């Protein structure tokens, strides 16, 4: 059986990348809903309908678990999908809790999409952990557009982020939460702008840890042998239902994994 991982676009590869490290002996279906990206500037109802389509696809493709590799889709639709589908659904959320814990009293900036920032789910999470009122929320919708056109470290990206951060006294912050999976591609530019002691954190490792826990508890961890891990065909990539087969497309995906690997320890 497969593990399904999906996002509106290439952001979800952040979680796939992490899953391949922590669960190399599995088969994956990666689905980027490219035709409908971005999700973060849509309404809640629009995102629910789109996520429902993807979930149907996953259910038809023999998935034993589905990872919603999109903070926006988790915020808008995870609960509703859990009521509708019997497949376990693990959804990424902004890593607000560990960020507050590790910021040692300094402020925490949570960057996400406009819909994630608007949704009750994030507001409730913040309410739960932010007794000292140290958390600020910032929507960065344009970063998703930059990512989807493969523009990761241009002068325009840097200017966009400098402008967005100009409203904040960055020296007061201890943590920047990357609350959208697309944002991991920009860690080098974030690093350039942020003071050295501001740490970046995202929810991908915790989400895959949760996936491991769910599969273990259901006795469904892959035993497909390490050969699968060495074999590129352990992941099938789909763009809104169309499987990527062309070398040029798969080469691009490979470059995205390489970029994420470079960004990992920044
Ligand atoms: N990557 C997604 C997230 O984590 C959403 C990007 C978008 O489509 O707006 O929220």
């Amino acid at each position: 059986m497969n593990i399904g991982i999906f996002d509106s676009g290439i952001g979800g590869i952040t979680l796939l990348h992490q899953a391949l490290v922590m669960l190399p002996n599995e088969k994956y279906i990666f689905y980027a809903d490219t035709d409908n990206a971005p999700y973060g500037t849509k309404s809640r109802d629009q995102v629910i309908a789109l996520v429902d389509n993807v979930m149907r696809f996953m259910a038809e493709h023999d998935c034993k678990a589905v990872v919603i590799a999109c903070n926006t889709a988790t915020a808008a639709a995870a609960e509703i999908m859990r009521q509708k589908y019997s497949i376990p659904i693990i959804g990424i959320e902004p890593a607000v809790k560990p960020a507050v814990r590790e910021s040692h009293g300094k402020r925490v900036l949570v960057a996400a999409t406009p819909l994630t920032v608007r949704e009750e789910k994030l507001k409730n999470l913040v309410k739960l952990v932010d007794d000292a009122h140290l958390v600020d929320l910032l929507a960065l919708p344009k970063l998703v557009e930059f990512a989807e056109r493969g523009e990761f470290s241009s002068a325009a990206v840097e200017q966009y982020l400098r402008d967005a951060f100009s409203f904040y006294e960055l020296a007061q912050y201890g943590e920047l939460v990357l609350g959208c999976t697309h944002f991991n591609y920009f860690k080098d530019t974030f690093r350039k702008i942020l003071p050295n002691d501001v740490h970046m954190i995202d929810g991908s490792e915790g989400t895959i840890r949760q996936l491991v826990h769910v599969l273990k508890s259901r006795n469904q961890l892959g035993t497909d042998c390490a050969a699968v891990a060495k074999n590129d065909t352990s992941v099938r990539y789909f763009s809104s239902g169309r499987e990527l087969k062309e070398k040029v497309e798969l080469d691009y995906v490979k470059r995205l994994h390489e970029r994420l690997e470079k960004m990992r320890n920044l």
Side-chain angles (χ1 to χ4, degrees):
M1 289 181 92
N2 299 300
I3 294 171
I5 300 185
F6 80 89
D7 180 34
S8 62
I10 61 169
I13 295 179
T14 311
L15 276 122
L16 172 64
H17 197 79
Q18 185 69 38
L20 288 168
V21 172
M22 290 167 70
L23 288 171
N25 299 329
E26 300 283 350
K27 288 191 194 149
Y28 295 91
I29 302 257
F30 179 78
Y31 188 111
D33 196 7
T34 328
D35 290 355
N36 299 301
Y39 282 2
T41 49
K42 293 190 167 53
S43 73
R44 179 169 204 256
D45 286 348
Q46 283 173 313
V47 172
I48 291 170
L50 293 169
V51 171
D52 194 16
N53 269 340
V54 183
M55 280 304 303
R56 203 171 316 125
F57 178 93
M58 294 300 189
E60 285 163 3
H61 282 75
D62 198 26
C63 287
K64 60 184 174 185
V66 173
V67 177
I68 304 182
C70 173
N71 296 264
T72 311
T74 301
E79 272 325 306
I80 296 170
M81 294 305 130
R82 285 191 186 109
Q83 283 158 29
K84 184 161 178 185
Y85 294 89
S86 58
I87 312 169
I89 297 172
I90 298 100
I92 189 167
E93 284 188 86
V96 182
K97 200 174 170 184
V100 169
R101 197 179 51 230
E102 284 161 35
S103 69
H104 305 294
K106 291 187 94 177
R107 299 198 69 80
V108 171
L109 188 55
V110 182
T113 68
L115 184 55
T116 304
V117 165
R118 271 202 319 272
E119 275 297 308
E120 282 304 304
K121 198 167 170 67
L122 179 58
K123 289 189 186 134
N124 290 338
L125 179 63
V126 171
K127 232 186 255 162
L128 209 67
V129 298
D130 186 24
D131 297 336
H133 303 289
L134 292 172
V135 177
D136 297 310
L137 306 181
L138 168 66
L140 292 173
K142 263 199 162 175
L143 228 40
V144 178
E145 291 173 33
F146 280 123
E148 285 300 313
R149 52 174 191 263
E151 188 176 337
F152 298 121
S153 58
S154 64
V157 167
E158 186 173 335
Q159 196 53 54
Y160 173 64
L161 289 178
R162 284 195 187 280
D163 289 346
F165 285 149
S166 67
F167 299 99
Y168 299 86
E169 190 63 63
L170 290 178
Q172 292 182 4
Y173 288 80
E175 297 282 329
L176 172 68
V177 178
L178 304 179
C180 166
T181 51
H182 281 74
F183 295 177
N184 289 58
Y185 290 100
F186 301 95
K187 281 174 95 174
D188 48 356
T189 306
F190 281 123
R191 194 65 287 157
K192 221 163 143 183
I193 299 172
L194 294 171
N196 284 342
D197 55 353
V198 179
H199 176 242
M200 287 178 272
I201 185 165
D202 69 88
S204 46
E205 198 180 324
T207 306
I208 301 305
R209 235 185 285 124
Q210 178 64 12
L211 169 67
V212 173
H213 173 75
V214 167
L215 291 177
K216 241 190 213 162
S217 68
R218 297 167 67 94
N219 217 6
Q220 280 188 318
L221 270 182
T223 50
D224 281 341
C225 84
V228 175
K230 305 280 171 270
N231 184 344
D232 284 343
T233 57
S234 63
V235 187
R236 291 173 69 193
Y237 293 92
F238 291 85
S239 167
S240 296
R242 179 182 68 83
E243 184 161 8
L244 304 188
K245 297 268 192 193
E246 301 294 327
K247 186 175 178 318
V248 47
E249 294 174 318
L250 294 169
D251 282 350
Y252 183 59
V253 170
K254 200 169 154 206
R255 287 204 298 282
L256 294 175
H257 278 283
E258 284 164 4
R259 177 155 187 88
L260 289 171
E261 189 53 40
K262 263 199 230 152
M263 298 296 109
R264 246 161 104 78
N265 296 318
L266 291 182

